[in-house]
Amino acid sequence: MTIKGVSDMIRLPRLGKIRLGVKEENEAGISYPVPTDYFVCPPEVQEVYGERPARLDIIIPAEDDEMWCHQYYRQYSRTRGLVCKGDGETCRRMIDRKTGDIANRDTKEYVWKEMDCTGRECPDYHGKKCQETMNLQFLLPRVPGLGVWQIDTGSVNSIRNINDNAAMLRAVCERVSWIPLTLTLEPKEVINPDDGKKKVVRCLNLRHEKGLLELLSAR
């Protein structure tokens, strides 16, 4: 027997987060994110991979995508945290009971409402308040501890890469979980949507370092 709403809600224990950038300050003392060409890791991961690894040995712990690579349009507030989460069709939004607008720091009472999600057509998306976000969770078998590590990315290229890599793995092995993989941060040339010029960005990829025959044997 299980307790509905408690025992049937299984979450992977998280050991920590790995980041894809660092924060720097401008002359006015305002901090802003700067992407790196390496994984920004906590000390226990650095002990195994060094200070600036661009490759990590990983294992995907589950087949359910919601458990290891859930991805949605997300909007956050500095004071409220997550205030809207959608999939391009429907969203769940924190609404101020008094104003009917999205909750902010002045909100006294709020309610979560199911609403239409217009994705990239949403005014909040155009205002850069909302973006696509993937929460990638995986095991690091060479690092001590039983649990997952998490990387959050808003890069559409990284999200597409992970989805494409997972689809290929499933086509070959009929699964993605419990296969030794390498998570990489690789350069990719893209078109900057702001000015139409080419630029190089770093994107996530799932790689299998050995031959196809060995991968087929993992089925």
Side-chain angles (χ1 to χ4, degrees), residues 113-130:
K113 286 189 176 181
E114 299 288 335
M115 306 176 65
D116 290 336
C117 173
T118 54
R120 293 190 171 192
E121 301 305 315
C122 177
D124 289 340
Y125 187 92
H126 287 288
K128 297 185 177 180
K129 297 177 182 178
C130 168

Side-chain angles (χ1 to χ4, degrees), residues 185-202:
L185 196 55
E186 303 175 17
K188 178 182 177 67
E189 189 176 80
V190 300
I191 302 297
N192 188 335
D194 295 328
D195 57 19
K197 296 181 179 179
K198 293 181 179 180
K199 67 175 183 177
V200 175
V201 297
R202 294 279 171 167

Side-chain angles (χ1 to χ4, degrees), residues 20 35-39 54-55 136 151 153-162 165 182-190 199-207:
L20 301 175
T36 55
D37 58 1
Y38 58 90
F39 295 110
R55 308 169 74 83
L136 182 64
I151 290 178
T153 179
S155 164
V156 173
N157 290 296
S158 288
I159 293 172
R160 287 174 175 164
N161 285 350
I162 296 297
N165 298 154
T182 303
L183 182 66
T184 63
L185 196 55
E186 303 175 17
K188 178 182 177 67
E189 189 176 80
V190 300
K199 67 175 183 177
V200 175
V201 297
R202 294 279 171 167
C203 299
L204 295 171
N205 272 290
L206 287 175
R207 302 298 189 193

Side-chain angles (χ1 to χ4, degrees), residues 21-214:
V22 296
K23 286 188 176 181
E24 296 187 0
E25 286 191 359
N26 59 22
E27 295 180 354
I30 299 173
S31 63
Y32 60 95
V34 177
T36 55
D37 58 1
Y38 58 90
F39 295 110
V40 181
C41 302
E44 55 267 53
V45 180
Q46 291 185 18
E47 287 181 10
V48 177
Y49 290 99
E51 291 186 6
R52 298 186 173 189
R55 308 169 74 83
L56 298 170
D57 303 303
I58 75 162
I59 291 176
I60 295 170
E63 283 301 313
D64 184 355
D65 290 348
E66 279 293 301
M67 294 190 73
W68 72 272
C69 68
H70 44 102
Q71 45 203 286
Y72 293 94
Y73 290 100
R74 293 176 182 265
Q75 182 174 343
Y76 291 90
S77 161
R78 289 186 178 181
T79 55
R80 297 283 176 179
L82 181 66
V83 292
C84 190
K85 173 182 170 182
D87 61 7
E89 293 183 353
T90 61
C91 68
R92 189 167 181 264
R93 176 170 283 218
M94 184 188 290
I95 297 295
D96 187 306
R97 284 184 178 274
K98 183 178 180 179
T99 66
D101 296 327
I102 195 165
N104 56 41
R105 64 181 181 181
D106 298 321
T107 297
K108 303 299 182 183
E109 295 184 3
Y110 66 84
V111 62
W112 285 97
K113 286 189 176 181
E114 299 288 335
M115 306 176 65
D116 290 336
C117 173
T118 54
R120 293 190 171 192
E121 301 305 315
C122 177
D124 289 340
Y125 187 92
H126 287 288
K128 297 185 177 180
K129 297 177 182 178
C130 168
Q131 69 170 5
E132 302 93 338
T133 303
M134 171 183 277
N135 304 129
L136 182 64
Q137 295 189 320
F138 49 86
L139 302 170
L140 292 176
R142 294 179 57 195
V143 177
L146 181 60
V148 296
W149 297 84
Q150 180 171 317
I151 290 178
D152 300 330
T153 179
S155 164
V156 173
N157 290 296
S158 288
I159 293 172
R160 287 174 175 164
N161 285 350
I162 296 297
N163 290 333
D164 291 347
N165 298 154
M168 179 60 75
L169 278 170
R170 285 187 169 122
V172 174
C173 300
E174 299 181 348
R175 63 189 174 97
V176 294
S177 61
W178 300 102
I179 300 172
L181 300 170
T182 303
L183 182 66
T184 63
L185 196 55
E186 303 175 17
K188 178 182 177 67
E189 189 176 80
V190 300
I191 302 297
N192 188 335
D194 295 328
D195 57 19
K197 296 181 179 179
K198 293 181 179 180
K199 67 175 183 177
V200 175
V201 297
R202 294 279 171 167
C203 299
L204 295 171
N205 272 290
L206 287 175
R207 302 298 189 193
H208 187 267
E209 298 299 311
K210 298 183 179 179
L212 181 59
L213 289 177
E214 184 166 336

